[in-house]
Amino acid sequence: MSLEDAPFIGSPIDMKAAVDGLFIVDGAHNQIIKVDAEGKRLLSFGKRGRGPGELQSIAGFWPFKDEYLVYDYNSFKFLTFDHLGGLIDEELLNENPIHSESEFNIPITLDALSSKKLIIPTGGRKGSLFAIADRINGDVTYAGKAVGKAEPEYNNRDVTEALSGGEIPEVMLNMVLLSSSSDAIYSLQQTTGILEKYTHTGEHVWEMELNIPAQKHLFDRISDHNRGIDSDGKPRLFIYARAMDAREGGVALQLNMPDDQPFTIAWVPEDGTRIDLIKVEGITPDAHGFMEGFTVSPDGEHAYYLKRSTGMIFQFIWPL
């Protein structure tokens, strides 16, 4: 589906598959749009602004059984809507639950277990990889073992210098992808390729190294590429996966593959006993893509990929 096919969408930036359709986060109009299998609009809610129910920059959307949760990054607030798109409640946060002394908002890559409980990357703070934060009572549980020390704040110049020198920036050593199902939390440590499963209370269940043969020299290639670009070039990040989507029965990861490899999804079942690689013909991801849209339908029949640079959404048969 292209933007020409769906002129009511301005700029899709993320997606979530549902049993009866696909939710699309529209960054241009600051809306959530639901379409059916043919791309016909079923529902839309939210609009740009600073008032009640209005949004400035959507950085998270989660459809739950009884409500929808939307995270607005710029205004640092969480909004809940009913299934007709009516505003139920919104909360403006005064501080980052895991870093109260910081002026910076919650990282964009957070996930949600429910409308009240969040999973937030910690960047190595307190020796952890992520935290489970309850927005109601303020309880915070830290989980995961940090790879390196926690950097106080993100410094764009330091990050740019490290990447252009072919090195992993220290502030990115503890970068993770997070996704959750009804009974599990999955965390992928991006610079080691370690995938871990946790309970909703933060108890460690298992870990495994992706160890994908085609990714064996991936970081060497990224390093060589970054050293060879000029000042106008765009460096690539040292990451093993571009997106992740947990579903009942396991977790799917859109892998960051070398340019000569096909679009590849890794499926890891909930017991962590194996990795199934799914190669999809006809899709060429962006070379510099990160946090791209990828989601698997709850019925396990289809998967979707969003190419942000063009706004194209691809649907393909899920083979498991």
Side-chain angles (χ1 to χ4, degrees):
M1 183 175 69
S2 69
L3 296 182
E4 294 180 354
D5 301 323
F8 50 85
I9 301 175
S11 177
I13 59 175
D14 201 4
M15 316 174 291
K16 293 284 185 180
V19 174
D20 57 346
L22 180 69
F23 291 98
I24 300 169
V25 178
D26 184 356
H29 301 136
N30 279 329
Q31 282 189 328
I32 305 298
I33 300 170
K34 185 179 182 180
V35 299
D36 62 16
E38 285 71 43
K40 180 182 178 180
R41 179 166 52 179
L42 302 175
L43 173 71
S44 62
F45 60 93
K47 63 179 181 179
R48 182 178 299 277
R50 298 175 182 272
E54 297 179 340
L55 303 151
Q56 298 178 54
S57 178
I58 302 174
F61 168 73
W62 301 271
F64 294 114
K65 180 179 180 181
D66 299 319
E67 58 194 7
Y68 302 138
L69 176 66
V70 180
Y71 169 48
D72 185 2
Y73 181 73
N74 280 357
S75 62
F76 203 14
K77 66 181 179 181
F78 289 87
L79 305 90
T80 51
F81 296 85
D82 62 30
H83 282 183
L84 296 178
L87 180 65
I88 298 174
D89 184 37
E90 68 177 39
E91 179 188 8
L92 181 66
L93 299 190
N94 296 318
E95 60 183 29
N96 188 327
I98 64 167
H99 196 188
S100 59
E101 67 275 17
S102 172
E103 297 179 358
F104 292 84
N105 293 347
I106 294 176
I108 296 178
T109 53
L110 65 86
D111 193 31
L113 295 177
S114 68
S115 61
K116 308 303 181 185
K117 192 168 289 188
L118 309 174
I119 317 171
I120 307 171
T122 61
R125 193 166 292 106
K126 294 187 180 295
S128 66
L129 290 175
F130 68 92
I132 304 168
D134 191 311
R135 294 198 295 118
I136 304 303
N137 60 29
D139 289 346
V140 177
T141 300
Y142 292 88
K145 185 177 181 181
V147 175
K149 67 178 182 179
E151 292 296 312
E153 302 293 355
Y154 183 94
N155 185 299
N156 188 65
R157 185 179 68 178
D158 291 346
V159 169
T160 301
E161 289 180 353
L163 289 173
S164 61
E167 299 177 352
I168 302 174
E170 291 187 1
V171 74
M172 293 184 175
L173 286 176
N174 292 298
M175 185 165 57
V176 292
L177 275 180
L178 297 168
S179 189
S180 60
S181 64
S182 64
D183 61 356
I185 298 170
Y186 294 93
S187 167
L188 176 70
Q189 209 289 317
Q190 287 281 36
T191 59
T192 64
I194 299 296
L195 176 68
E196 297 178 289
K197 178 182 177 180
Y198 295 83
T199 67
H200 279 201
T201 57
E203 298 173 358
H204 188 266
V205 180
W206 53 253
E207 72 175 51
M208 67 184 303
E209 185 176 359
L210 292 184
N211 198 25
I212 308 299
Q215 290 185 314
K216 184 175 181 180
H217 302 293
L218 176 64
F219 278 21
D220 292 334
R221 294 191 184 194
I222 294 173
S223 181
D224 291 342
H225 169 83
N226 289 350
R227 287 194 184 99
I229 62 175
D230 55 30
S231 58
D232 296 326
K234 188 175 181 180
R236 299 183 183 180
L237 298 181
F238 292 89
I239 56 176
Y240 279 98
R242 297 166 178 247
M244 180 166 67
D245 192 30
R247 288 299 175 185
E248 305 309 312
V251 61
L253 300 99
Q254 181 200 337
L255 298 177
N256 185 28
M257 301 295 282
D259 294 343
D260 57 356
Q261 295 294 316
F263 184 97
T264 305
I265 305 298
W267 169 258
V268 179
E270 58 185 347
D271 59 7
T273 56
R274 70 179 194 276
I275 301 177
D276 295 324
L277 295 182
I278 302 159
K279 298 180 180 181
V280 184
E281 302 296 333
I283 297 179
T284 303
D286 289 323
H288 301 280
F290 176 55
M291 291 176 60
E292 296 174 310
F294 170 74
T295 184
V296 179
S297 62
D299 59 14
E301 294 185 0
H302 296 92
Y304 300 85
Y305 165 67
L306 165 64
K307 194 170 186 176
R308 281 191 179 185
S309 62
T310 63
M312 290 286 292
I313 296 176
F314 299 83
Q315 180 195 69
F316 53 95
I317 295 174
W318 187 245
L320 298 180

